[in-house]
Amino acid sequence: MADLPPDVVGKANECLLDSLCCLLGGYSLPIAGVLDGFLDDVGSRGDVPILGTNRTTDPGTAAFVQACLINALDFDDIYRKGHPGATVVAAALSVAAHVNSCGADILEAMVVGYEVGGRVAISLSHMHPRKTVHGHGTWQVFGAAATAAKLLKLEARQSAHAIAIAAANAPVASVMKTVYGSEPSMAKNNFGAAAQTGVNAALLAKNGFEGPLDIFEGETGFWRMAGADACDLERLTAGLGRVYEIREVGFKPYSCCRILQSSIQASLRAFATAGVDSKDHAHERLVITAPPIVCEPPFNNPAPADIWAAQFSAPYAVAMALLGIEPGPDWFSEEQICSDAAMRLMARIELRPDMGKPDPNSHHVARAQLSLKDGRIFHAEVKIALGEAANPLPRSFLEEKFLKLAERRFGSDRSLALLKVISGIGNMASLQPLFAASVPEIPGSGSFGEMPRDVLLVR
């Protein structure tokens, strides 16, 4: 790790911090109970602890469960594409525990995972903005495989086979059904399958299993499997060792899809400029002009019926922010999803597609026009949402985000202690302090603990 630039190491620690707080926040959703039951059924045995519980299992299953939890709130990190932390961090935690890695090793392996996964992602070329075939988990399998290979200390050829095995077994690109379909579901980005596949690929390569080493080449290469139109092979290695993809990772201030963040922030800014409270009903209409995709299903849903639809609904996300509801599990409670206050706000939101030429220096630019009942009109624009790598959140915000989510599981004192452990993980000879600090004080042996019942899991 001594060869890595200090800012890259620091960014890896922030990525770990953000993913862990999202993982812990996931325990406040009913999906945690689903995964608890899944572990009972598969009967998997192993030495790998699932962070935040007193359960252990094998590395692949642990990666699956932890990746699902990291992405459950849609609060996890963002990149040029996808949410790489869900698969990279899940794999890192699982394999590092299995082989008893030190803290420096896990941070270095994460950098490798973000690098390999990210480069594969940006090498895939698409000629159409809305793809018929689309899936982040399909390429994020490489981040998990590379992270696992690094922690297992595989030789170069073994690592190449791990990548090839992962590619040959990558989950299909299903997002056009699981997210953009008529009913968004908990399957979402299939990050659990991607993390598990990547970890198992590395373990297979370690034991002599082989894959097609020409997996990226020719008309039948991985790019074709992933539904891309072509592959820019030069982007796989351009600037390697100098340009680090982890620097392009951002973090979300709101628990909803990345493309909605700027619409939320523009709306908040318009209300702040007007000096009115959304709860006072002083406005007639809020018009949000955003990229066309925001104005199409599932993002234009004016009345989401459950947590999964709510995570991708622009009107709902804006309403939650305007009402001052804490991002995270509280956004998705039955009380909020069915609240009259949210319904009234969503009824006054109009989405308009921005048909202008996209600004290459902006990210999902959004403009808000707020019309008050007294006739006054206020405008606000957000070109690059706070939280994007080009407009980063301070470390203090990430620490506050961590504490808010961790306290739901551990309480204040233990959450502060866990934050301290994560902040100093690069100097630890073992990850044992991390896992020890994250075992909740819950009754019974082998349980995720008491699961919430007030979050809308299904219709």
Side-chain angles (χ1 to χ4, degrees):
M1 192 170 72
D3 295 333
L4 294 175
D7 73 295
V8 169
V9 176
K11 189 61 172 286
N13 187 271
E14 290 182 349
C15 289
L16 179 64
L17 178 66
D18 189 72
S19 285
L20 292 189
C21 80
C22 292
L23 188 160
L24 295 174
Y27 287 116
S28 294
L29 303 178
I31 191 175
V34 173
L35 294 170
D36 200 26
F38 165 74
L39 286 172
D40 289 339
D41 281 340
V42 297
S44 177
R45 301 187 183 280
D47 59 351
V48 177
I50 296 177
L51 192 134
T53 77
N54 53 10
R55 302 201 67 158
T56 60
T57 185
D58 66 272
T61 303
F64 177 91
V65 170
Q66 292 177 126
C68 288
L69 287 168
I70 290 170
N71 185 238
L73 284 168
D74 219 308
F75 214 174
D76 44 331
D77 66 13
I78 50 180
Y79 172 65
R80 304 175 202 260
K81 300 179 179 181
H83 307 264
T87 42
V88 168
V89 174
L93 291 171
S94 303
V95 178
H98 182 58
V99 299
N100 195 29
S101 301
C102 68
D105 283 348
I106 194 172
L107 293 178
E108 185 176 34
M110 284 175 55
V111 173
V112 171
Y114 277 94
E115 195 70 19
V116 173
R119 286 173 177 271
V120 172
I122 62 176
S123 76
L124 303 177
S125 300
H126 299 278
M127 305 304 294
H128 307 287
R130 291 296 302 276
K131 301 170 284 296
T132 303
V133 181
H134 180 33
H136 299 310
T138 310
W139 61 261
Q140 285 189 206
V141 71
F142 295 104
T147 299
K150 182 66 175 177
L151 288 167
L152 290 170
K153 303 186 186 301
L154 300 189
E155 297 175 354
R157 188 170 181 81
Q158 289 177 310
S159 296
H161 278 296
I163 295 294
I165 296 165
N169 292 280
V172 297
S174 59
V175 167
M176 295 308 291
K177 278 294 184 185
T178 58
V179 173
Y180 296 141
S182 58
E183 295 184 358
S185 72
M186 71 175 71
K188 293 205 293 184
N189 298 290
N190 55 27
F191 290 154
Q196 183 176 38
T197 300
V199 168
N200 286 343
L203 291 169
L204 283 166
K206 172 179 176 288
N207 287 282
F209 202 95
E210 296 181 346
L213 296 182
D214 63 346
I215 194 72
F216 290 104
E217 300 171 13
E219 285 299 309
T220 57
F222 175 79
W223 60 275
R224 180 71 76 186
M225 304 175 200
D229 300 305
C231 181
D232 184 351
L233 294 175
E234 291 185 3
R235 300 197 76 174
L236 292 173
T237 56
L240 195 61
R242 176 176 53 82
V243 176
Y244 290 88
E245 292 306 312
I246 199 170
R247 287 175 172 149
E248 300 302 319
V249 173
F251 306 106
K252 292 182 182 179
Y254 301 102
S255 49
C256 59
C257 183
R258 180 243 194 106
I259 70 172
L260 307 180
Q261 305 287 318
S262 52
S263 294
I264 294 171
Q265 294 173 30
S267 300
L268 290 170
R269 191 175 296 175
F271 271 89
T273 302
V276 296
D277 189 327
S278 64
K279 295 186 283 294
D280 293 339
H281 312 297
H283 74 287
E284 290 281 1
R285 183 152 297 275
L286 173 64
V287 177
I288 300 171
T289 303
I293 189 174
V294 177
C295 307
E296 301 169 356
F299 302 104
N300 64 349
N301 187 346
D306 61 21
I307 174 178
W308 316 114
Q311 290 178 355
F312 298 99
S313 167
Y316 182 80
V318 170
M320 287 297 100
L322 290 175
L323 290 171
I325 307 303
E326 189 69 46
D330 290 344
W331 271 34
F332 308 117
S333 68
E334 182 175 2
E335 176 187 1
Q336 297 304 335
I337 290 179
C338 300
S339 75
D340 290 337
M343 293 295 184
R344 285 194 296 269
L345 277 175
M346 287 189 285
R348 298 182 185 184
I349 293 174
E350 177 184 345
L351 299 174
R352 291 181 183 174
D354 185 350
M355 304 309 295
K357 186 177 180 180
D359 182 349
N361 296 316
S362 68
H363 300 267
H364 310 295
V365 59
R367 294 185 295 276
Q369 177 181 294
L370 179 65
S371 300
L372 302 186
K373 290 181 178 179
D374 62 11
R376 291 181 296 160
I377 297 176
F378 297 87
H379 297 85
E381 181 182 58
V382 172
K383 290 187 175 182
I384 303 177
L386 181 64
E388 294 280 352
N391 188 13
L393 291 163
R395 170 86 184 197
S396 58
F397 184 97
L398 296 179
E399 291 180 349
E400 183 179 356
K401 177 181 175 180
F402 176 87
L403 291 174
K404 286 178 179 177
L405 291 173
E407 284 173 1
R408 304 175 75 98
R409 187 96 176 138
F410 300 124
S412 179
D413 292 343
R414 292 195 63 202
S415 296
L416 282 168
L418 182 56
L419 173 60
K420 185 176 181 180
V421 169
I422 296 168
S423 298
I425 199 167
N427 298 316
M428 291 182 182
S430 166
L431 294 184
Q432 181 58 33
L434 172 64
F435 291 105
S438 68
V439 176
E441 296 174 354
I442 54 180
S445 58
S447 171
F448 276 32
E450 182 66 24
M451 294 301 147
R453 303 299 178 193
D454 65 338
V455 179
L456 282 181
L457 180 65
V458 295
R459 290 169 175 77

